[in-house]
Amino acid sequence: MRVAAVGDIHMGADSQGLLRPAFETLDDCADLLLLAGDLTRHGTPAEAEVVAREVRDLPVPVVAVLGNHDHHDERPEEVTAILQDAGVTVLEGTATVVECAGARVGIAGTKGFGGGFVGRSAGEFGEPVMKEFVRTTRRSADSLCAALKDLDGQDCAARIALTHFSPVADTLAGEPPEIHPFLGSYLLAEAIDTAGADLAIHGHAHLGSEHGMTAGGVRVRNVAQPVIRRAFNVYHLGGEG
Ligand SMILES: [Fe+2]
Ligand SMILES: [Fe+2]
């Protein structure tokens, strides 16, 4: 099966129609479209409406997570509802199964959060706000793990973990090391490796690189649009490399 993915499209009032022509060709090259968060610039309902018009009635199913930008206006529920109204399945600590190319593919998603990577990570220690920072990531990772496990027994030919923040440092190559703790967390990779997945898709790291892998051997792809520099990339699952 063929999985199209892009993140960090950061749409605003002047973005309408930029991606629609490419998205309308999706059935030629992909079986579903994953959106890896930061779909808007500031998370306003008006920007969400731009995204909704861009992806409404596409020829393939669309599954998304929100990004930090989609939270900026502090109305993620409204952004989610607007996307859902356009037919997008929005995941947050949840999973969905999509029928595509005669097979079932399971997608578990969460926005994720920061904290850093092994050896250079924040811990649940000290001030309450610091503990809450790390606990926020841990809760997100736990929800991703549970959502992936929910896909067990659902006869999925493949399982995908979809996040906005990165589960690994590999795909941050190119980003200043000083900001790695704000770009992702190893807890997300632990969740993916514990529950198992065939592919992990994320965004957020605009200056990062596309290819990485978890310690457990799960392929990781950073699909932030400034990284992939196209409307979407297509990944093949199920023995096609
Ligand atoms: Fe972004
Ligand atoms: Fe982001």
Side-chain angles (χ1 to χ4, degrees):
M1 64 193 67
R2 307 162 303 171
V3 180
V6 65
D8 302 271
I9 56 178
H10 288 284
M11 302 202 97
D14 57 351
S15 305
Q16 198 75 71
L18 288 179
L19 293 171
R20 182 83 196 178
F23 285 167
E24 285 180 349
T25 70
L26 274 164
D27 56 344
D28 293 335
C29 60
D31 303 303
L32 77 157
L33 173 65
L34 303 180
L35 299 174
D38 276 6
L39 310 180
T40 65
R41 292 177 192 158
H42 299 103
T44 64
E47 290 177 345
E49 294 282 4
V50 174
V51 179
R53 284 190 289 272
E54 212 72 356
V55 299
R56 186 183 295 276
D57 298 326
L58 288 183
V60 298
V62 183
V63 180
V65 293
L66 300 189
N68 55 312
H69 280 250
D70 307 318
H71 278 252
H72 183 68
D73 203 40
E74 301 185 19
R75 291 193 274 184
E77 295 85 2
E78 282 182 64
V79 171
T80 296
I82 290 165
L83 295 174
Q84 287 172 333
D85 190 54
V88 178
T89 300
V90 182
L91 302 177
E92 180 43 65
T94 52
T96 189
V97 176
V98 174
E99 303 262 355
C100 60
R104 288 163 60 81
V105 57
I107 304 118
T110 182
K111 175 178 65 64
F113 200 46
F117 300 90
V118 174
R120 296 184 177 87
S121 59
E124 285 179 49
F125 184 85
E127 301 89 333
V129 69
M130 191 65 201
K131 291 175 187 151
E132 187 53 28
F133 178 84
V134 179
R135 283 174 188 158
T136 299
T137 308
R138 188 176 295 282
R139 279 194 293 269
S140 180
D142 288 349
S143 75
L144 179 63
C145 190
L148 281 166
K149 287 179 176 173
D150 279 348
L151 294 168
D152 280 347
Q154 294 203 47
D155 195 26
C156 293
R159 290 188 298 170
I160 301 170
L162 176 63
T163 60
H164 179 61
F165 284 74
S166 179
V168 295
D170 304 6
T171 47
L172 308 185
E175 295 277 4
E178 293 85 350
I179 67 166
H180 282 199
F182 303 105
L183 296 177
S185 166
Y186 76 99
L187 295 173
L188 297 169
E190 283 193 349
I192 291 165
D193 284 342
T194 297
D198 299 283
L199 178 67
I201 296 286
H202 75 88
H204 191 48
H206 292 206
L207 300 177
S209 41
E210 185 184 353
H211 294 81
M213 190 170 280
T214 67
V218 177
R219 281 192 295 163
V220 179
R221 297 293 180 262
N222 173 11
V223 297
Q225 198 172 40
V227 171
I228 64 171
R229 291 184 286 181
R230 62 191 68 179
F232 52 82
N233 259 2
V234 178
Y235 303 101
H236 295 266
L237 288 174
E240 292 177 67

